[in-house]
Amino acid sequence: MDDISDIEAWLKSDYPTAYRTACLVLRDPIEAQDAVQEAFLRVWRFRSAIPAGAGRKAWLYRVVVNACVSRIRSEQSRTGRDDGDVGLERFPDLAPSPHVVAEHSQLAGDVIAALADLPESLRVPIVLRFYAGLSEREIATAIDRRPGTVKSRLYEARQRLAHDPRLAAWASTSDVLEAEAR
Amino acid sequence: MSTDLTDEDLTAALTDAAGTYPVPESHRLDEELADAVPEQPWWQRRGAQLTAVAAALVVGAVVVGSLGSESGPSSMRSKALLSNPSAEAGGGTTGGTTGAAAPPPGSSLSDIDVGTTFSTEKTQGVGGAVAGTAGPGGVADGARVVKTGAMTLIVADGKVGAAVAKLQKLARDNRGYLSEQQTQELGDAPSATLTMRVPVARFDAVIETIRSKGFGAKVVSVESSGRDITAEYADTAAQITSLQAARARYLTILNGARTIGEVLSVQQRIDGVQGQIDRLEGSRRVLANQSDLATLSLSVSEKEGERLIEGERSGFAKAWHDAVDGFTSGVQALIAHSGRALLVLLVAAAALVVGRWAWRVARRRLI
């Protein structure tokens, strides 16, 4: 692929997004930092295998997602809990502190809480699609599933979020504001 | 209760949620080490070099093993001659023999390597104490000299095999060995071409022994040369020491690295230094081997046979005979090397299959 400086620049530019993606998946900044560091080290070590062009973003997030999932799995085996799909309750609640959330909006806290209630199989695609900005095809590559599977998971995740009362309250407010604006 | 969540809603919501996680400082040391080591080409990377060395060792071991266990009338006769100096090649009914003679009895490749290393260290130690004194081979203790030579010998009819056996014994007596041997005992002009490796200190004595009347061979020509590589060897060793110290410092820094940027930068430096150390270690070993053991190329042939052939043929007859000889030699060489080439090809194919499999496994693990 490109020369070493290009890879460095690419990794540096994608680090914040990858780190926050891992945060949304794991909801633990420390675990997320370790996961992304491990993922980036893998990418660096196997830099000769990085695909050229647009595919490399999906490739990077596949490594990041796998690092996150590995951490979830190891946490499962450590605690001896395995109920199939993985919930965020495996990790201690290290979500942003209330004052940090307050600096952004109440919405942020509600979204994080709503994401926490999603299983990993739905949480990962929704984060990759609407935060990391991956296309459905790229998500399919990142999670090693068919595009049709990605589409159905995204649909289900949206449905669940749409029925979440915390987001419903926010959406109502949003509707009112939009109506007032009109 | 249901909410209509649009893509924009979700994007805004997740971006807002993600924004609550501050991105940690990750490139502190990276900026300090901004002058990154440029990426090395694949053939200079440590992994590639180690793989190549390992492949070469495997192929070498297989080839040496196959030569050691080689069987057949020609090789059996050759071994008989070498193991029995009194045997003569007078009844020559065998074909040519190509191969490398084994190192001294009781030793293996690893033994030779260990012995070489020991000898090197010992010489250096003595040299440090009494620098400037001349050793038995005319080489100052502590000095490193690469000695090479070539001799052409003529022996009586039917004595090529005996001469080869004597040279084998001479090498053994001087703690050396025949690294290459090619004998042609069939036909009108039996001959042998040998490469003898003996300790540098005994190089001159070996040449004198061959030249002595008691050896039973007429020396037609002698060439010898020496090259002092003491400075080159010392410089290589000093560079290795310096790089090893640098690697130790980087490893200390790596232990304290806390972020992705730190680890990447330091690991990159360590890889670069390790690559240089590996290359220099290889050079040092080559220099040590060359300066520990002198190389003497020997050509043995029968005078009468040469005179007879050259005297009887001339013009077209000689040209035709040369052509037939060349064709025969070429076919013999092809047959002689085909087994080894096939073996190397098989090993290479096996290595390729294993490599592809390992690569697939590594790639699967990576992602």
Side-chain angles (χ1 to χ4, degrees):
Chain A
M1 104 144 238
D2 311 329
D3 64 20
I4 198 165
S5 56
D6 287 342
I7 298 173
E8 274 189 14
W10 171 54
L11 290 178
K12 281 181 189 172
S13 68
D14 271 38
Y15 180 82
T17 309
Y19 166 71
R20 283 174 164 155
T21 300
C23 284
L24 291 175
V25 171
L26 297 171
R27 215 176 64 154
D28 180 345
I30 296 172
E31 284 286 334
Q33 190 172 351
D34 288 347
V36 174
Q37 180 154 322
E38 178 189 327
F40 275 40
L41 270 178
R42 283 188 189 177
V43 171
W44 179 261
R45 196 174 300 146
F46 296 94
R47 54 190 180 274
S48 58
I50 298 173
R56 71 179 187 177
K57 186 176 183 184
W59 195 81
L60 172 66
Y61 279 93
R62 180 167 181 171
V63 181
V64 170
V65 166
N66 281 357
C68 291
V69 171
S70 295
R71 290 188 171 269
I72 294 172
R73 300 272 187 267
S74 63
E75 179 67 15
Q76 271 183 351
S77 60
R78 194 176 64 78
T79 57
R81 297 175 62 183
D82 184 1
D83 54 359
D85 213 346
V86 182
L88 286 175
E89 61 277 11
R90 301 290 169 272
F91 291 105
D93 190 356
L94 289 175
S97 57
H99 73 274
V100 174
V101 174
E103 286 176 3
H104 287 259
S105 68
Q106 181 59 38
L107 169 64
D110 290 340
V111 169
I112 290 171
L115 283 175
D117 290 340
L118 289 179
E120 170 213 331
S121 58
L122 302 181
R123 187 168 63 249
V124 170
I126 203 87
V127 170
L128 291 179
R129 179 73 186 93
F130 295 106
Y131 175 65
L134 269 62
S135 66
E136 288 179 359
R137 186 170 294 278
E138 287 173 327
I139 296 170
T141 302
I143 65 173
D144 197 21
R145 293 288 183 275
R146 288 177 299 180
T149 306
V150 172
K151 193 183 284 286
S152 68
R153 287 187 181 180
L154 282 174
Y155 176 78
E156 188 180 347
R158 289 176 77 136
Q159 287 297 106
R160 289 208 190 188
L161 291 176
H163 286 84
D164 191 294
R166 290 160 292 201
L167 298 189
W170 165 76
S172 302
T173 309
S174 174
D175 290 343
V176 170
L177 290 175
E178 283 181 10
E180 286 177 353
R182 279 196 293 270
Chain B
M1 192 186 321
S2 176
T3 307
D4 185 19
L5 285 174
T6 64
D7 287 359
E8 290 74 23
D9 289 339
L10 280 169
T11 302
L14 285 170
T15 304
D16 199 23
T20 60
Y21 294 100
V23 178
E25 282 291 326
S26 63
H27 308 302
R28 188 162 35 85
L29 187 60
D30 199 28
E31 289 166 4
E32 292 175 10
L33 300 175
D35 52 338
V37 177
E39 188 178 23
Q40 295 171 317
W42 66 268
W43 63 86
Q44 289 183 7
R45 287 181 198 157
R46 190 174 153 215
Q49 289 176 339
L50 289 176
T51 306
V53 169
L57 283 176
V58 169
V59 171
V62 170
V63 169
V64 169
S66 69
L67 289 174
S69 60
E70 202 174 59
S71 60
S74 303
S75 59
M76 287 174 67
R77 170 149 180 88
S78 176
K79 283 177 185 171
L81 285 169
L82 292 175
S83 61
N84 181 10
S86 62
E88 295 185 357
T93 56
T94 60
T97 302
T98 304
S107 65
S108 63
L109 287 175
S110 56
D111 291 332
I112 292 170
D113 192 31
V114 170
T116 300
T117 306
F118 173 74
S119 158
T120 301
E121 291 170 353
K122 187 178 175 186
T123 306
Q124 283 178 325
V126 172
V130 285
T133 60
V139 178
D141 289 341
R144 290 201 159 269
V145 177
V146 175
K147 282 198 168 187
T148 54
M151 297 182 77
T152 304
L153 309 178
I154 299 292
V155 296
D157 283 352
K159 296 287 185 182
V160 169
V164 169
K166 279 185 183 177
L167 289 168
Q168 168 86 0
K169 184 174 184 302
L170 179 65
R172 244 185 347 240
D173 292 345
N174 287 279
R175 292 189 300 184
Y177 62 96
L178 298 184
S179 63
E180 287 182 28
Q181 176 183 341
Q182 186 170 358
T183 58
Q184 174 68 41
E185 295 174 28
L186 273 182
D188 296 326
S191 63
T193 305
L194 314 169
T195 302
M196 185 187 291
R197 301 295 307 275
V198 292
V200 168
R202 295 173 182 263
F203 181 70
D204 294 336
V206 167
I207 290 181
E208 284 309 311
T209 302
I210 296 172
R211 296 179 75 163
S212 66
K213 284 187 177 177
F215 194 78
K218 181 183 177 185
V219 177
V220 178
S221 69
V222 181
E223 293 173 18
S224 66
S225 62
R227 182 167 67 93
D228 189 351
I229 58 163
T230 309
E232 191 179 348
Y233 184 87
D235 184 46
T236 305
Q239 285 185 60
I240 291 171
T241 305
S242 170
L243 287 168
Q244 284 171 337
R247 182 183 56 185
R249 286 197 297 275
Y250 281 131
L251 285 173
T252 305
I253 294 173
L254 184 63
N255 285 335
R258 300 182 61 82
T259 67
I260 178 75
E262 291 176 357
V263 173
L264 287 180
S265 299
V266 180
Q267 186 63 50
Q268 186 180 346
R269 295 258 171 164
I270 291 173
D271 287 348
V273 170
Q274 186 61 50
Q276 293 179 54
I277 290 174
D278 291 342
R279 283 194 297 279
L280 288 170
E281 275 291 349
S283 303
R284 190 192 66 78
R285 284 196 205 98
V286 170
L287 291 174
N289 180 267
Q290 287 179 342
S291 55
D292 284 339
L293 294 175
T295 304
L296 181 59
S297 300
L298 295 152
S299 175
V300 184
S301 59
E302 292 179 6
K303 183 180 180 182
E304 291 305 316
E306 280 186 353
R307 188 183 58 75
L308 177 68
I309 293 168
E310 298 302 322
E312 281 184 351
R313 298 191 181 93
S314 62
F316 286 111
K318 183 176 183 303
W320 169 253
H321 195 81
D322 288 347
V324 171
D325 278 351
F327 179 78
T328 308
S329 303
V331 171
Q332 284 177 345
L334 274 177
I335 294 171
H337 289 91
S338 61
R340 207 177 305 175
L342 182 62
L343 185 64
V344 170
L345 281 175
L346 282 174
V347 171
L352 188 65
V353 169
V354 171
R356 276 179 65 87
W357 174 80
W359 168 246
R360 284 181 179 170
V361 170
R363 195 178 165 87
R364 209 174 298 139
R365 284 187 183 163
L366 166 66
I367 58 179

